[in-house]
Amino acid sequence: MMHTIRQVFRSGKFVTGFVIFVSLLLIVLIYPLLVPDDPLAIIGLGTFFPPGIYVNVYDSVNTAPYTLNLPEAATNRIANKLGAKERQDMKEWLLAAGIPEEEIDIEDTAKLLDLWEKNYDPNKNIEGMTLAKMRYYQRLNNSLKGLLATEGLIVALPNAQTGTLEQVKVIEQSDYVNVREVPNVRVLPLGTDNFGRDVLTELVKAAGVSLQIGFVAGLIATLIGLVLGLLAGYIGGTVDDIIMFFTNLLIVIPSFVLLILISFSIGQDKRGAITIATVIGFTSWVWTARAVRAQVLSLRNRDHVNLSRLSGHSTVYIILNDILPYIMSYVVMALILQISSGILAEAGLSILGLGPRTTEVPTLGLMMNWAMIYQAHVLGKWWAYLPVLVTLALITFSMNLMNTGLDQVFNPALRE
């Protein structure tokens, strides 16, 4: 056994896949201990917040300021509100409003803002402009107010007795706060999804649930395929004919179509993660059974099997002690492929809206489904779907790499 393990871990492909898979597994296990948040908790009142560090504005105003004289501060402030796209959009509105093109200089910030302030009318109806575009220009106009101002912002609070506003603080443009001193800060490395949920926390939980589904589905499919393949290959005769009849019947029907029909018939309320995993397992054992049968057919007439049979050993004893150990390496490789296939099958079902119920736990497929429904790919909100695709790719790639490494170790035709 130790010799076999050493051989396996000498395979570069297996080790690479194993390291990737174990790293993902450790993240799934450790991250919830460090960030014990509900993965389906809605923390943002809005959709698709971009990745970043979010600082509470109220707390930052009341945090002790530090004066920093950074030379690029004003330039960065202007560029953040008035980039190349915003300048071009302003030019388009001004042209549509009848301003001659030669009067519009989008490179001169002061001149452009002055022209915009004098001519922009939020209520003006320009021919061909949609309501959404008009709303965009209104938001743009609000963000440009006071952009070139050099004085600070005045913070005022109402007087408890008179009700009039009284100045309590002036925030200078050179004032900075140390983010460590702000009491409420939330780091969102992958932003939020369409529901306002932390994508990273959701992704880690979803990866864990998808792995559970894959393991359960893989174990069920491998166990069924192994038992039927052993019986059909060793006993033969009528037993083999009956098993192969049902196996060939299921081969004719595409397993994913069968999976869709069964999942649809179960109903959304009853489709839990384990239920989906069980359905996947019971519809994906066919190729394992055929492959195990072929392996057993090549072993059942070997000398050691005939000797065990002549010694009076039972069929169960011969299968478990004289045949199964010789195909265990293949069974392990089949299990790895079944787990990988189970994860992909769940993802495919969930994208079609036939996966586990959405109110219970997230899965990688459900996250893809939500991203597609709310058009994250159309809106350019990459953080809602790209990390999911990368995680799916890493899981399946690592497992297939491990399988290839095992095949090179146990398959004499592929050994170097």
Side-chain angles (χ1 to χ4, degrees):
M1 176 63 73
M2 292 304 298
H3 175 70
T4 302
I5 294 175
R6 282 195 294 269
Q7 278 187 309
V8 168
F9 279 92
R10 286 195 186 107
S11 170
K13 290 184 178 179
F14 177 85
V15 171
T16 303
F18 182 78
V19 169
I20 295 173
F21 183 76
V22 170
S23 299
L24 291 171
L25 201 58
L26 287 175
I27 292 172
V28 168
L29 294 174
I30 295 174
Y31 182 87
L33 300 178
L34 302 176
V35 185
D37 296 340
D38 181 1
L40 296 181
I42 297 175
I43 62 173
L45 299 180
T47 62
F48 299 122
F49 291 7
I53 301 175
Y54 288 78
V55 181
N56 186 278
V57 177
Y58 181 88
D59 291 335
S60 64
V61 169
N62 292 286
T63 301
Y66 299 89
T67 302
L68 295 177
N69 295 315
L70 303 181
E72 300 296 324
T75 303
N76 293 337
R77 188 177 297 115
I78 294 172
N80 182 58
K81 298 290 186 181
L82 192 58
K85 179 183 180 301
E86 287 77 15
R87 292 172 187 266
Q88 190 60 41
D89 290 340
M90 292 169 67
K91 180 179 179 180
E92 290 179 7
W93 191 94
L94 291 170
L95 288 173
I99 307 301
E101 185 173 3
E102 59 271 13
E103 295 183 14
I104 306 172
D105 184 3
I106 61 174
E107 301 299 329
D108 189 333
T109 303
K111 185 177 179 181
L112 179 63
L113 289 175
D114 182 63
L115 192 64
W116 178 262
E117 185 178 349
K118 291 179 179 178
N119 293 277
Y120 176 72
D121 182 1
N123 299 316
K124 187 171 184 177
N125 188 13
I126 296 180
E127 184 178 356
M129 185 171 293
T130 63
L131 181 61
K133 194 71 173 178
M134 290 179 63
R135 294 284 185 267
Y136 162 74
Y137 278 115
Q138 291 171 5
R139 292 193 300 271
L140 177 61
N141 180 63
N142 291 332
S143 68
L144 297 177
K145 292 179 179 179
L147 186 60
L148 297 181
T150 57
E151 64 274 7
L153 293 177
I154 297 174
V155 178
L157 291 175
N159 186 292
Q161 297 177 345
T162 63
T164 59
L165 290 176
E166 295 180 355
Q167 177 178 325
V168 295
K169 189 175 185 179
V170 176
I171 302 176
E172 303 295 342
Q173 293 190 7
S174 57
D175 283 351
Y176 290 80
V177 295
N178 188 331
V179 71
R180 294 180 180 274
E181 297 178 5
V182 180
N184 291 299
V185 178
R186 180 64 184 259
V187 180
L188 297 174
L190 296 178
T192 66
D193 67 0
N194 50 284
F195 296 111
R197 302 182 297 211
D198 182 359
V199 171
L200 180 58
T201 303
E202 189 178 2
L203 178 64
V204 173
K205 179 63 176 181
V209 176
S210 291
L211 285 171
Q212 290 176 13
I213 292 174
F215 275 113
V216 173
L219 285 171
I220 292 174
T222 304
L223 184 60
I224 294 174
L226 177 61
V227 171
L228 295 180
L230 287 170
L231 293 176
Y234 181 75
I235 297 176
T238 305
V239 173
D240 184 25
D241 292 339
I242 293 174
I243 293 175
M244 284 300 101
F245 171 78
F246 286 105
T247 302
N248 294 331
L249 185 64
L250 289 173
I251 287 177
V252 175
I253 305 172
S255 60
F256 194 68
V257 174
L258 187 62
L259 189 58
I260 290 174
L261 294 175
I262 296 174
S263 298
F264 182 78
S265 64
I266 292 175
Q268 175 71 24
D269 294 337
K270 298 179 182 179
R271 287 202 302 264
I274 300 302
T275 302
I276 290 296
T278 304
V279 172
I280 293 173
F282 274 99
T283 56
S284 56
W285 55 266
V286 178
W287 66 267
T288 303
R290 288 181 63 88
V292 169
R293 174 181 175 272
Q295 296 285 327
V296 175
L297 286 175
S298 67
L299 289 170
R300 69 177 181 178
N301 291 321
R302 296 280 180 91
D303 291 342
H304 71 284
V305 177
N306 290 329
L307 182 61
S308 183
R309 193 182 296 118
L310 290 173
S311 299
H313 292 148
S314 65
T315 298
V316 175
Y317 178 90
I318 295 173
I319 290 176
L320 294 180
N321 292 276
D322 298 314
I323 293 180
L324 184 59
Y326 287 87
I327 64 171
M328 276 308 296
S329 61
Y330 180 81
V331 173
V332 172
M333 290 188 288
L335 174 62
I336 291 174
L337 289 179
Q338 287 285 15
I339 292 172
S340 177
S341 299
I343 293 171
L344 292 177
E346 180 278 322
L349 276 178
S350 295
I351 288 175
L352 296 175
L354 297 173
R357 48 181 174 264
T358 59
T359 57
E360 189 175 87
V361 289
T363 67
L364 296 175
L366 284 173
M367 290 185 69
M368 284 298 300
N369 176 260
W370 294 328
M372 289 180 61
I373 290 175
Y374 288 88
Q375 299 184 321
H377 57 295
V378 176
L379 299 173
K381 313 300 183 181
W382 58 267
W383 56 89
Y385 63 90
L386 186 58
V388 183
L389 291 176
V390 171
T391 303
L392 270 173
L394 284 175
I395 292 173
T396 54
F397 172 72
S398 64
M399 302 194 80
N400 281 280
L401 207 56
M402 285 192 290
N403 186 75
T404 303
L406 291 174
D407 200 20
Q408 287 182 337
V409 171
F410 295 116
N411 190 341
L414 297 178
R415 290 177 187 168
E416 297 179 357

mmCIF file of all heavy atoms in Angstrom, residues 51 57 85 130 185 191 219 225 232 249 258 271 280 288 308 314 323 331 333 348 372 385 395 405 409:
data_model
loop_
_atom_site.group_PDB
_atom_site.id
_atom_site.type_symbol
_atom_site.label_atom_id
_atom_site.label_comp_id
_atom_site.label_asym_id
_atom_site.label_seq_id
_atom_site.Cartn_x
_atom_site.Cartn_y
_atom_site.Cartn_z
ATOM 1 N N PRO A 51 -16.307 45.257 -6.460
ATOM 2 C CA PRO A 51 -15.346 44.855 -5.425
ATOM 3 C C PRO A 51 -14.625 46.058 -4.834
ATOM 4 O O PRO A 51 -14.361 47.048 -5.529
ATOM 5 C CB PRO A 51 -14.369 43.951 -6.193
ATOM 6 C CG PRO A 51 -15.138 43.471 -7.378
ATOM 7 C CD PRO A 51 -16.053 44.594 -7.751
ATOM 8 N N VAL A 57 -19.696 56.127 5.662
ATOM 9 C CA VAL A 57 -19.505 57.563 5.451
ATOM 10 C C VAL A 57 -19.751 58.339 6.742
ATOM 11 O O VAL A 57 -18.984 59.243 7.093
ATOM 12 C CB VAL A 57 -20.448 58.064 4.336
ATOM 13 C CG1 VAL A 57 -20.306 59.574 4.161
ATOM 14 C CG2 VAL A 57 -20.149 57.350 3.032
ATOM 15 N N LYS A 85 -15.165 59.020 -20.774
ATOM 16 C CA LYS A 85 -16.528 58.671 -21.189
ATOM 17 C C LYS A 85 -17.510 59.779 -20.837
ATOM 18 O O LYS A 85 -18.366 60.158 -21.654
ATOM 19 C CB LYS A 85 -16.951 57.364 -20.509
ATOM 20 C CG LYS A 85 -18.370 56.924 -20.871
ATOM 21 C CD LYS A 85 -18.757 55.675 -20.121
ATOM 22 C CE LYS A 85 -20.176 55.241 -20.489
ATOM 23 N NZ LYS A 85 -21.173 56.278 -20.203
ATOM 24 N N THR A 130 -33.655 58.500 -24.841
ATOM 25 C CA THR A 130 -34.519 57.665 -24.012
ATOM 26 C C THR A 130 -34.596 58.218 -22.588
ATOM 27 O O THR A 130 -33.756 59.023 -22.162
ATOM 28 C CB THR A 130 -33.982 56.222 -23.952
ATOM 29 O OG1 THR A 130 -32.695 56.221 -23.330
ATOM 30 C CG2 THR A 130 -33.866 55.628 -25.352
ATOM 31 N N VAL A 185 -16.161 49.161 8.746
ATOM 32 C CA VAL A 185 -15.551 48.959 7.435
ATOM 33 C C VAL A 185 -15.860 47.538 6.992
ATOM 34 O O VAL A 185 -15.779 46.597 7.776
ATOM 35 C CB VAL A 185 -14.019 49.169 7.492
ATOM 36 C CG1 VAL A 185 -13.386 48.901 6.133
ATOM 37 C CG2 VAL A 185 -13.686 50.580 7.960
ATOM 38 N N GLY A 191 -17.261 42.086 -4.323
ATOM 39 C CA GLY A 191 -18.480 42.887 -4.392
ATOM 40 C C GLY A 191 -19.708 42.123 -3.933
ATOM 41 O O GLY A 191 -19.627 41.166 -3.164
ATOM 42 N N LEU A 219 -20.500 8.982 -5.148
ATOM 43 C CA LEU A 219 -20.522 7.751 -4.367
ATOM 44 C C LEU A 219 -21.688 6.852 -4.775
ATOM 45 O O LEU A 219 -21.524 5.633 -4.933
ATOM 46 C CB LEU A 219 -20.624 8.087 -2.871
ATOM 47 C CG LEU A 219 -19.348 8.614 -2.206
ATOM 48 C CD1 LEU A 219 -19.643 9.107 -0.799
ATOM 49 C CD2 LEU A 219 -18.274 7.528 -2.172
ATOM 50 N N GLY A 225 -22.812 1.385 -10.014
ATOM 51 C CA GLY A 225 -22.083 0.865 -11.164
ATOM 52 C C GLY A 225 -21.143 -0.263 -10.792
ATOM 53 O O GLY A 225 -21.003 -1.243 -11.539
ATOM 54 N N ALA A 232 -22.656 -8.540 -13.074
ATOM 55 C CA ALA A 232 -22.808 -8.882 -14.489
ATOM 56 C C ALA A 232 -21.555 -9.542 -15.044
ATOM 57 O O ALA A 232 -21.627 -10.515 -15.815
ATOM 58 C CB ALA A 232 -23.139 -7.615 -15.293
ATOM 59 N N LEU A 249 -30.510 0.219 -22.142
ATOM 60 C CA LEU A 249 -31.728 1.033 -22.240
ATOM 61 C C LEU A 249 -31.461 2.454 -21.759
ATOM 62 O O LEU A 249 -31.901 3.435 -22.377
ATOM 63 C CB LEU A 249 -32.843 0.389 -21.416
ATOM 64 C CG LEU A 249 -34.234 1.047 -21.505
ATOM 65 C CD1 LEU A 249 -34.782 0.934 -22.910
ATOM 66 C CD2 LEU A 249 -35.179 0.393 -20.509
ATOM 67 N N LEU A 258 -32.813 12.785 -18.957
ATOM 68 C CA LEU A 258 -33.494 12.047 -17.893
ATOM 69 C C LEU A 258 -33.406 12.809 -16.576
ATOM 70 O O LEU A 258 -34.370 12.882 -15.810
ATOM 71 C CB LEU A 258 -32.860 10.663 -17.755
ATOM 72 C CG LEU A 258 -33.533 9.673 -16.807
ATOM 73 C CD1 LEU A 258 -34.955 9.371 -17.276
ATOM 74 C CD2 LEU A 258 -32.722 8.393 -16.710
ATOM 75 N N ARG A 271 -36.807 20.000 -3.781
ATOM 76 C CA ARG A 271 -35.476 19.788 -4.363
ATOM 77 C C ARG A 271 -34.391 20.351 -3.446
ATOM 78 O O ARG A 271 -33.952 21.492 -3.604
ATOM 79 C CB ARG A 271 -35.376 20.421 -5.742
ATOM 80 C CG ARG A 271 -36.123 19.685 -6.830
ATOM 81 C CD ARG A 271 -35.583 20.020 -8.198
ATOM 82 N NE ARG A 271 -35.631 21.424 -8.506
ATOM 83 C CZ ARG A 271 -36.595 22.020 -9.199
ATOM 84 N NH1 ARG A 271 -37.606 21.316 -9.630
ATOM 85 N NH2 ARG A 271 -36.543 23.303 -9.446
ATOM 86 N N ILE A 280 -28.879 12.735 -9.409
ATOM 87 C CA ILE A 280 -27.724 12.701 -10.310
ATOM 88 C C ILE A 280 -27.024 11.350 -10.209
ATOM 89 O O ILE A 280 -26.643 10.748 -11.228
ATOM 90 C CB ILE A 280 -26.739 13.842 -9.972
ATOM 91 C CG1 ILE A 280 -27.361 15.202 -10.276
ATOM 92 C CG2 ILE A 280 -25.435 13.684 -10.767
ATOM 93 C CD1 ILE A 280 -26.532 16.382 -9.815
ATOM 94 N N THR A 288 -20.076 3.523 -15.642
ATOM 95 C CA THR A 288 -19.249 2.855 -14.634
ATOM 96 C C THR A 288 -19.553 1.360 -14.609
ATOM 97 O O THR A 288 -18.632 0.532 -14.529
ATOM 98 C CB THR A 288 -19.497 3.460 -13.238
ATOM 99 O OG1 THR A 288 -19.226 4.865 -13.277
ATOM 100 C CG2 THR A 288 -18.602 2.818 -12.196
ATOM 101 N N SER A 308 -9.546 -20.151 -6.387
ATOM 102 C CA SER A 308 -10.459 -19.812 -5.288
ATOM 103 C C SER A 308 -11.803 -20.486 -5.477
ATOM 104 O O SER A 308 -12.426 -20.942 -4.506
ATOM 105 C CB SER A 308 -10.624 -18.293 -5.220
ATOM 106 O OG SER A 308 -11.432 -17.927 -4.128
ATOM 107 N N SER A 314 -17.298 -18.888 -1.674
ATOM 108 C CA SER A 314 -18.574 -18.378 -2.185
ATOM 109 C C SER A 314 -18.341 -17.289 -3.225
ATOM 110 O O SER A 314 -17.246 -16.726 -3.349
ATOM 111 C CB SER A 314 -19.417 -17.822 -1.039
ATOM 112 O OG SER A 314 -18.779 -16.675 -0.468
ATOM 113 N N ILE A 323 -11.334 -10.429 -6.935
ATOM 114 C CA ILE A 323 -11.572 -9.590 -8.118
ATOM 115 C C ILE A 323 -11.524 -8.101 -7.777
ATOM 116 O O ILE A 323 -10.818 -7.329 -8.443
ATOM 117 C CB ILE A 323 -12.932 -9.950 -8.769
ATOM 118 C CG1 ILE A 323 -12.864 -11.367 -9.357
ATOM 119 C CG2 ILE A 323 -13.305 -8.932 -9.849
ATOM 120 C CD1 ILE A 323 -14.141 -11.825 -10.016
ATOM 121 N N VAL A 331 -11.706 1.780 -9.894
ATOM 122 C CA VAL A 331 -12.884 2.269 -9.164
ATOM 123 C C VAL A 331 -12.625 3.658 -8.594
ATOM 124 O O VAL A 331 -13.487 4.546 -8.637
ATOM 125 C CB VAL A 331 -13.266 1.283 -8.044
ATOM 126 C CG1 VAL A 331 -14.372 1.864 -7.170
ATOM 127 C CG2 VAL A 331 -13.719 -0.038 -8.635
ATOM 128 N N MET A 333 -10.527 5.890 -9.780
ATOM 129 C CA MET A 333 -10.538 6.841 -10.901
ATOM 130 C C MET A 333 -11.967 7.114 -11.375
ATOM 131 O O MET A 333 -12.310 8.254 -11.703
ATOM 132 C CB MET A 333 -9.685 6.306 -12.052
ATOM 133 C CG MET A 333 -8.192 6.311 -11.754
ATOM 134 S SD MET A 333 -7.184 5.896 -13.190
ATOM 135 C CE MET A 333 -7.529 4.155 -13.341
ATOM 136 N N GLY A 348 -25.347 22.507 -14.433
ATOM 137 C CA GLY A 348 -26.214 22.565 -15.609
ATOM 138 C C GLY A 348 -27.685 22.618 -15.242
ATOM 139 O O GLY A 348 -28.461 23.387 -15.818
ATOM 140 N N MET A 372 -27.180 35.098 -14.631
ATOM 141 C CA MET A 372 -27.769 35.123 -15.979
ATOM 142 C C MET A 372 -29.127 35.817 -15.969
ATOM 143 O O MET A 372 -29.429 36.616 -16.858
ATOM 144 C CB MET A 372 -27.903 33.701 -16.515
ATOM 145 C CG MET A 372 -26.581 33.043 -16.879
ATOM 146 S SD MET A 372 -26.803 31.370 -17.514
ATOM 147 C CE MET A 372 -27.805 31.689 -18.969
ATOM 148 N N TYR A 385 -20.196 36.435 -11.957
ATOM 149 C CA TYR A 385 -20.176 35.147 -12.647
ATOM 150 C C TYR A 385 -18.765 34.604 -12.919
ATOM 151 O O TYR A 385 -18.564 33.386 -12.916
ATOM 152 C CB TYR A 385 -20.930 35.252 -13.978
ATOM 153 C CG TYR A 385 -20.332 36.212 -14.972
ATOM 154 C CD1 TYR A 385 -19.380 35.790 -15.878
ATOM 155 C CD2 TYR A 385 -20.727 37.542 -15.011
ATOM 156 C CE1 TYR A 385 -18.824 36.681 -16.798
ATOM 157 C CE2 TYR A 385 -20.181 38.433 -15.919
ATOM 158 C CZ TYR A 385 -19.239 37.997 -16.810
ATOM 159 O OH TYR A 385 -18.689 38.874 -17.709
ATOM 160 N N ILE A 395 -12.069 23.200 -9.884
ATOM 161 C CA ILE A 395 -12.488 21.938 -9.271
ATOM 162 C C ILE A 395 -12.418 20.797 -10.278
ATOM 163 O O ILE A 395 -11.811 19.745 -10.023
ATOM 164 C CB ILE A 395 -13.906 22.055 -8.683
ATOM 165 C CG1 ILE A 395 -13.917 23.001 -7.483
ATOM 166 C CG2 ILE A 395 -14.436 20.683 -8.259
ATOM 167 C CD1 ILE A 395 -15.304 23.298 -6.939
ATOM 168 N N GLY A 405 -3.265 11.513 -13.637
ATOM 169 C CA GLY A 405 -2.082 11.047 -12.932
ATOM 170 C C GLY A 405 -2.220 9.615 -12.455
ATOM 171 O O GLY A 405 -1.286 8.808 -12.574
ATOM 172 N N VAL A 409 -0.155 6.028 -13.529
ATOM 173 C CA VAL A 409 0.487 5.141 -12.553
ATOM 174 C C VAL A 409 -0.008 3.705 -12.702
ATOM 175 O O VAL A 409 0.794 2.753 -12.699
ATOM 176 C CB VAL A 409 0.231 5.640 -11.118
ATOM 177 C CG1 VAL A 409 0.711 4.615 -10.089
ATOM 178 C CG2 VAL A 409 0.911 6.972 -10.889
#
